[in-house]
Amino acid sequence: MLSGLKAPLFNHIRTLARGRLPGQLIIQLTDRCNASCPQCGMRRSAAFRRSTLPMDDCRRIIDHAAASGITALSITGGEPFLYQKELVTLIRHAGEAGIPYIRTGTNGYLFMGHERPDFDRRIAGLAETLAATSLYTFWISVDSSVPEIHERMRGLPGVMKGIEKALPIFHAHGIFPSANLGITRNVTAHFPEGNEAYRPVDGDDYSAGFRAFFTRVIDLGFTMANACYPMSIGEGSGESLNAVYEATAEDDLVRFTAEEKRIVFHALRETIPRFRSRIRIFTPLSSLHALERSHAGNADSCRPCRGGSDFFFIDAAGGNTYPCGYRGSENLGRFWELDLSRPPLPPTCRECDWECFRDPSELMGPFHEFFTGPAGLFKKFMDDRTFARLWLSDLRYYRACGLFNGRIPPDCRKLASFGQKLIPA
């Protein structure tokens, strides 16, 4: 997602000078899933017609993405590993086409059955297969620091033990997975029973929950982590949103008011610096700060999302292109028919918190502004000096993290300089 900082400098200067950011594409390979996550509309019990993109269409999309300068590709689901053979074929194809940053992940069902005698062999085979591709990042979903809560939410018993057992096998093959936390009300380690209601949002509870999460994934053996922000179309979300990406739900588990989101984002921003020296955490503090301000009523504090300008989403159901997974009313047609050499549409949308596009829009935005309006960038930094400090800290940290290369272990010496380094508000 921060692909723009690592490819040849000249190519990025040229991209930025054209008014663009380095491009990102998310392909939803399938909307089929075998987990029961209440926070996701694609859970196995959801009643809708399931779809999977044809391989020929996927190859054509990838070829056009590579030819158009897309530098980051995510292949997601549903559960993409339900189609492991096809998924690996597409990862290889994207690498051969020249796309440098390729990501995919799993709900974790692969790690069930850790007690079976063939577990180590099976996981080693998967790790070896992925290591033979150009995959840059492999994520594994982890919803709670409490194994029982995570497994109950996912409907995947025993999976946390399996993840713990699998991580050293992946590391031995040069794959360093990232733990993806889906932020829900269960971050606080409270799972209501029966008709019991969820507790009101409390910043201290969420701070404790985030601390417990990072501690847990470090203990499991993860060397990278990321946070997926709560997403539910409803109160606190943009009125014009119409999700085509079904990774949203109406469950109270993920429904937060604007003020509750502000509290949650603040708790996460305060917690992350305490763990930056121990695990590579992708979530940028500058983006969390902008989201805090936005949900406090300062809508313009967030940079407009580059979805539809430089970032695109392709859905499994129709194979169509959208500015993002939540702007389903804006069908852009077939991706291979888009001419990305033309000037991009001016970004204007600030209506959702989808981190896949929100974080890179915020993090890369100042680079774009430097080339298109440096005076405006200077004014923004002077008006919000906290953002400027956090943004510069993010850049230093991202460099220390090797731009989150999931094919190499962390450089503990570089990370050590961020030990207990708190950024003033």
Side-chain angles (χ1 to χ4, degrees):
M1 300 224 288
L2 193 65
S3 56
L5 292 182
K6 192 176 179 184
L9 181 60
F10 175 77
N11 289 341
H12 292 304
I13 291 175
R14 184 172 59 181
T15 299
L16 292 164
R18 289 193 295 115
R20 287 191 175 278
L21 296 185
Q24 177 183 187
L25 176 66
I26 296 178
I27 299 175
Q28 184 187 30
L29 174 61
T30 183
D31 53 23
R32 290 178 168 87
C33 193
N34 55 357
S36 59
C37 318
Q39 73 272 28
C40 178
M42 289 180 284
R43 59 188 174 272
R44 62 192 179 209
S45 61
F48 68 94
R49 184 177 179 179
R50 308 286 176 151
S51 304
T52 300
L53 283 178
M55 288 293 286
D56 286 346
D57 285 0
C58 290
R59 291 188 185 94
R60 193 172 182 184
I61 290 165
I62 290 170
D63 288 343
H64 184 64
S68 300
I70 294 290
T71 54
L73 171 68
S74 296
I75 305 177
T76 186
E79 172 51 46
F81 277 87
L82 290 175
Y83 297 88
Q84 182 174 319
K85 181 179 177 181
E86 292 83 355
L87 175 63
V88 170
T89 296
L90 294 176
I91 294 170
R92 287 196 183 112
H93 188 82
E96 291 167 359
I99 297 177
Y101 301 92
I102 305 167
R103 304 174 66 245
T104 195
T106 178
N107 60 29
Y109 87 96
L110 299 163
F111 309 112
M112 295 175 65
H114 66 89
E115 72 285 354
R116 296 174 185 167
D118 67 337
F119 181 85
D120 285 15
R121 178 185 56 80
R122 179 168 57 83
I123 297 302
L126 172 61
E128 184 176 352
T129 297
L130 293 178
T133 72
S134 299
L135 184 66
Y136 191 80
T137 304
F138 173 51
W139 76 79
I140 301 171
S141 295
V142 179
D143 292 329
S144 173
S145 63
V146 181
E148 293 79 11
I149 292 179
H150 170 74
E151 293 169 5
R152 181 173 167 184
M153 288 174 65
R154 295 269 161 177
L156 305 175
V159 71
M160 292 289 270
K161 282 286 187 182
I163 291 172
E164 184 175 23
K165 191 174 180 180
L167 285 174
I169 300 174
F170 277 101
H171 294 173
H173 285 82
I175 301 285
F176 295 84
S178 173
N180 258 25
L181 168 66
I183 298 177
T184 69
R185 292 181 183 272
N186 284 341
V187 164
T188 62
H190 171 63
F191 201 111
E193 300 289 345
N195 295 323
E196 182 185 358
Y198 286 100
R199 295 172 180 170
V201 169
D202 178 272
D204 291 339
D205 284 348
Y206 277 83
S207 293
F210 290 132
R211 290 195 300 271
F213 167 78
F214 288 120
T215 300
R216 168 68 69 174
V217 296
I218 290 169
D219 290 345
L220 286 174
F222 281 100
T223 67
M224 287 200 296
N226 184 43
C228 298
Y229 307 147
M231 191 67 227
S232 179
I233 308 301
E235 185 178 2
S237 300
E239 296 180 358
S240 68
L241 297 182
N242 176 27
V244 66
Y245 182 41
E246 295 290 344
T248 183
E250 296 301 314
D251 196 285
D252 286 344
L253 185 67
V254 285
R255 290 175 65 85
F256 294 83
T257 66
E259 173 60 13
E260 288 175 329
K261 286 184 177 181
R262 185 197 67 77
I263 293 171
V264 170
F265 290 136
H266 180 76
L268 183 57
R269 180 169 70 85
E270 284 197 326
T271 302
I272 286 174
R274 302 177 184 275
F275 291 88
R276 273 184 157 183
S277 65
R278 300 173 59 193
I279 186 170
R280 295 171 288 182
I281 304 174
F282 181 85
T283 305
L285 303 180
S286 53
S287 183
L288 290 171
H289 169 72
L291 286 167
E292 279 183 63
R293 295 195 65 204
S294 175
H295 288 297
N298 303 300
D300 290 344
S301 62
C302 275
R303 286 170 169 78
C305 175
R306 302 296 296 191
S309 299
D310 305 296
F311 308 152
F312 303 91
F313 171 82
I314 297 173
D315 78 315
N320 292 310
T321 310
Y322 297 87
C324 85
Y326 298 94
R327 288 163 64 182
S329 300
E330 302 175 54
N331 189 338
L332 304 177
R334 299 300 181 182
F335 183 74
W336 55 78
E337 295 176 353
L338 297 182
D339 184 0
L340 300 189
S341 66
R342 300 175 61 183
L345 295 174
T348 59
C349 185
R350 296 181 172 88
E351 294 200 41
C352 86
D353 302 333
W354 196 29
E355 76 289 334
C356 293
F357 287 0
R358 165 56 48 206
D359 286 349
S361 294
E362 203 65 59
L363 201 56
M364 294 296 292
F367 290 105
H368 170 264
E369 292 158 7
F370 175 81
F371 282 90
T372 58
L377 173 62
F378 179 76
K379 184 178 185 306
K380 286 182 180 180
F381 277 0
M382 293 303 294
D383 290 345
D384 189 351
R385 299 187 183 188
T386 297
F387 176 88
R389 289 195 297 270
L390 293 173
W391 183 73
L392 291 171
S393 171
D394 286 335
L395 296 187
R396 291 192 296 270
Y397 182 68
Y398 272 48
R399 182 178 180 182
C401 290
L403 296 183
F404 301 90
N405 187 344
R407 302 304 295 270
I408 59 175
D411 187 326
C412 297
R413 180 183 58 82
K414 291 182 178 178
L415 293 183
S417 65
F418 289 86
Q420 295 297 314
K421 185 177 290 186
L422 305 184
I423 310 300

